[in-house]
């Protein structure tokens, strides 16, 4: 039995009872608590149309809550639409000189990669670094760094394999060379405890619809205190320090806020931000370390089942190198996804296999059930891969 099996958390997530929901790396299902917070927001919109100042007070409360959750200062967090927006703010915020280079792992999430690849037209060289040992650390990048390397863009946990990259080792090895490490925490936040200052990174971008349990359409960007290295591409009143209270825009020089609020340009995704407040309360009530351990235990169980069926893992097996919650089974038979879907199992086919991903709401029984379904499906579509 895994750590949180009988904790009552499952009751929060009806979708996990209605389906065999093993797809947290795609989107986590809505919880009752988050739904109640959304209802509260929409009720106040329906009955009182605000008032907006109260909605905005709530935004600042949630920002502070998120800051505490990440062990950072609220001024250094900007709310964004998604991970991609945060990464683009970083890639576009720097004046690149021709010949500057940035390092990315081969196989990076495309939304991370394209943010940097699009800057090649500004003279940035993008170096794709092989991901040979299935997780990355300082050694992975060492021979690709030279004195023109200005940044490394990296997913903390990679979506296509579940590998957990050792971000702290990368920053430790590169800090004295002035290389900015920009981390994408979309697949780790809410599942792996994140004490951002200890990572030594320059920026962290994420969305909130996976481990942070909100609907889609909200993200955040944290940048280190020297944010003014980054120039925003878009500018609006929210990001301007000398905007006038009477909202008259004058021809005076624009003074951008010295913190990450310079990246906020207009009205917020209020319902999603309010929802994030409730989601953070739920996550804190369970404890991220417990979510990590619980999903690791489900992963141990899944690996045992995969071994017994002769099915390999695309990503690493060792706990220290794998994410607790994402497992890609080395199964490429085209008929398998449909067969699992017919049996109400929600997983994601990804480029190298079938991705099974857990959330706090999954239980050991879910994994057992998945194993039974997989064993049956494999009788008509036998596994060809070896155990890796
Ligand atoms: C590692 C990673 N980065 C970025 C994204 C895309 O995020 P967004 O839609 O928030 O830009 C995903 C998946 O959705 C992801 O897994």
């Amino acid at each position: 039995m895994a750590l949180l099996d009988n904790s009552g958390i499952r009751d929060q997530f009806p979708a996990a009872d209605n389906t065999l929901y093993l797809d947290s790396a795609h989107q986590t299902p809505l919880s009752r608590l988050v739904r109640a917070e959304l209802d509260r927001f929409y009720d106040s919109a329906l009955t009182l149309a605000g008032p907006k100042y109260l909605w905005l007070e709530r935004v600042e409360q949630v920002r502070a809550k998120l800051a505490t959750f990440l062990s950072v200062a609220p001024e250094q967090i900007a709310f964004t639409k998604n991970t991609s927006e945060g990464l683009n703010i970083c890639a576009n915020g720097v004046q690149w000189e021709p010949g500057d280079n940035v390092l990315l792992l081969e196989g990076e999430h495309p939304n991370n990669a394209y943010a940097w690849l699009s800057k090649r037209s500004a003279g940035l060289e993008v170096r794709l670094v092989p991901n040979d040992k299935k997780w990355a650390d300082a050694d992975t990048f060492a021979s690709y760094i030279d004195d023109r390397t200005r940044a490394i863009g990296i997913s903390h946990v990679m979506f296509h394999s579940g590998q957990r990259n050792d971000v702290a080792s990368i920053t430790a090895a590169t800090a004295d060379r002035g290389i900015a490490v920009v981390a994408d925490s979309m697949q780790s936040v809410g599942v792996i405890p994140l004490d951002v200052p200890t990572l030594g990174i320059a920026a962290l971008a994420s969305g909130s619809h996976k481990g942070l349990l909100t609907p889609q359409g909200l993200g955040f960007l944290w940048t280190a205190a020297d944010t003014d290295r980054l120039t925003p591409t878009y500018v609006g009143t929210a990001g301007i320090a000398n905007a006038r209270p009477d909202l008259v825009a004058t021809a005076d020089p624009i003074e951008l806020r010295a913190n990450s609020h310079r990246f906020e340009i207009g009205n917020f995704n209020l319902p999603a931000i309010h929802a994030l407040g409730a989601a953070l309360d739920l996550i804190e009530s369970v404890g991220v370390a417990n979510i990590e351990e619980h999903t690791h235990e489900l992963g141990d169980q899944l690996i045992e089942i995969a071994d017994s069926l002769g099915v390999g893992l695309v990503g690493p097996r060792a706990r220290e190198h794998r994410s607790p919650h994402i497992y890609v089974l080395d199964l490429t038979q085209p008929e398998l996804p449909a067969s699992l879907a017919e049996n109400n199992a929600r997983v994601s086919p990804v480029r190298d296999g079938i991705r099974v991903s857990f959330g706090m709401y999954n239980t050991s029984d879910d994994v057992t059930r998945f194993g039974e379904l997989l064993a049956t499906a494999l009788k008509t579509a036998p596994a060809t891969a070896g155990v890796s």
Side-chain angles (χ1 to χ4, degrees):
M1 183 183 294
L3 183 68
L4 303 174
D5 273 6
N6 288 331
S7 58
I9 292 165
R10 175 72 157 231
D11 297 341
Q12 279 291 326
F13 296 89
D17 278 335
N18 299 334
T19 62
L20 179 53
Y21 197 88
L22 303 171
D23 211 6
S24 67
H26 166 63
Q27 158 87 64
T28 43
L30 200 62
S31 62
R32 294 184 193 281
L33 273 168
V34 172
R35 161 69 186 269
E37 186 71 26
L38 287 164
D39 284 348
R40 263 193 294 282
F41 174 80
Y42 288 117
D43 284 348
S44 72
L46 188 70
T47 56
L48 295 169
K52 188 173 172 183
Y53 80 89
L54 283 182
W55 284 345
L56 290 176
E57 266 177 32
R58 180 77 180 134
V59 167
E60 294 315 314
Q61 286 163 5
V62 175
R63 194 197 302 271
K65 213 184 270 269
L66 179 60
T68 305
F69 185 72
L70 300 170
S71 309
V72 299
E75 310 78 64
Q76 295 310 124
I77 291 179
F79 285 115
T80 59
K81 289 200 286 285
N82 44 43
T83 323
S84 311
E85 186 178 23
L87 295 169
N88 269 277
I89 288 170
C90 297
N92 288 283
V94 176
Q95 184 67 52
W96 303 107
E97 301 295 336
D100 285 346
N101 68 69
V102 58
L103 311 186
L104 304 179
L105 277 184
E106 277 176 358
E108 250 308 340
H109 192 281
N111 288 12
N112 190 347
Y114 284 131
W116 304 101
L117 286 166
S118 71
K119 300 316 294 176
R120 286 176 299 179
S121 56
L124 182 67
E125 181 195 349
V126 178
R127 297 184 174 172
L128 295 178
V129 175
N131 184 27
D132 293 338
K133 64 182 178 197
K134 294 191 174 185
W135 77 89
D137 58 10
D139 289 347
T140 310
F141 291 97
S143 61
Y144 291 82
I145 292 174
D146 61 23
D147 57 7
R148 298 301 305 277
T149 303
R150 297 195 56 197
I152 297 176
I154 187 160
S155 288
H156 187 200
V157 165
M158 295 186 78
F159 80 110
H160 71 295
S161 63
Q163 78 188 59
R164 174 182 178 152
N165 296 319
D166 187 351
V167 174
S169 100
I170 298 165
T171 55
T174 54
D176 61 352
R177 302 188 69 165
I179 297 171
V181 176
V182 176
D184 169 344
S185 66
M186 182 49 156
Q187 293 290 5
S188 61
V189 67
V191 188
I192 295 175
L194 278 182
D195 183 13
V196 173
T198 63
L199 292 177
I201 51 182
L204 182 85
S206 192
S208 61
H209 64 273
K210 303 187 200 279
L212 291 184
L213 307 178
T214 75
Q216 297 190 357
L218 174 66
F220 67 86
L221 171 69
W222 170 84
T223 52
D226 52 354
T227 313
D228 46 4
R229 283 195 305 192
L230 290 174
T231 305
T233 306
Y234 298 121
V235 175
T237 320
I240 296 177
N242 62 344
R244 285 171 40 151
D246 63 4
L247 298 184
V248 175
T250 69
D252 292 344
I254 290 175
E255 197 186 308
L256 292 168
R257 290 190 192 279
N259 55 38
S260 297
H261 296 200
R262 61 175 40 201
F263 306 119
E264 291 179 344
I265 55 174
N267 282 298
F268 292 102
N269 182 348
L270 292 170
I273 294 175
H274 289 205
L276 177 61
L280 287 168
D281 288 344
L282 175 57
I283 294 164
E284 296 274 33
S285 74
V286 179
V288 184
N290 288 332
I291 296 169
E292 181 181 40
E293 177 56 26
H294 175 70
T295 50
H296 255 320
E297 287 176 17
L298 298 178
D300 291 340
Q301 187 187 346
L302 180 67
I303 290 173
E304 225 172 88
I305 291 171
D307 285 352
S308 72
L309 295 172
V311 174
L313 268 192
V314 169
R317 289 173 76 94
R319 275 193 178 205
E320 61 176 315
H321 299 308
R322 72 184 209 224
S323 71
H325 64 309
I326 300 178
Y327 300 87
V328 179
L329 301 176
D330 190 358
L331 291 169
T332 48
Q333 300 90 314
E335 57 275 54
L336 276 182
S339 156
L340 293 167
E342 274 161 24
N343 285 288
N344 210 16
R346 292 270 290 273
V347 294
S348 279
V350 289
R351 58 178 84 129
D352 295 321
I354 291 183
R355 184 179 67 192
V356 177
S357 52
F358 302 119
M360 61 168 94
Y361 42 80
N362 287 119
T363 63
S364 307
D365 286 348
D366 291 340
V367 185
T368 304
R369 171 85 187 118
F370 177 74
E372 290 162 0
L373 288 180
L374 187 59
T376 307
L378 287 175
K379 287 190 182 131
T380 48
T384 48
V387 177
S388 57

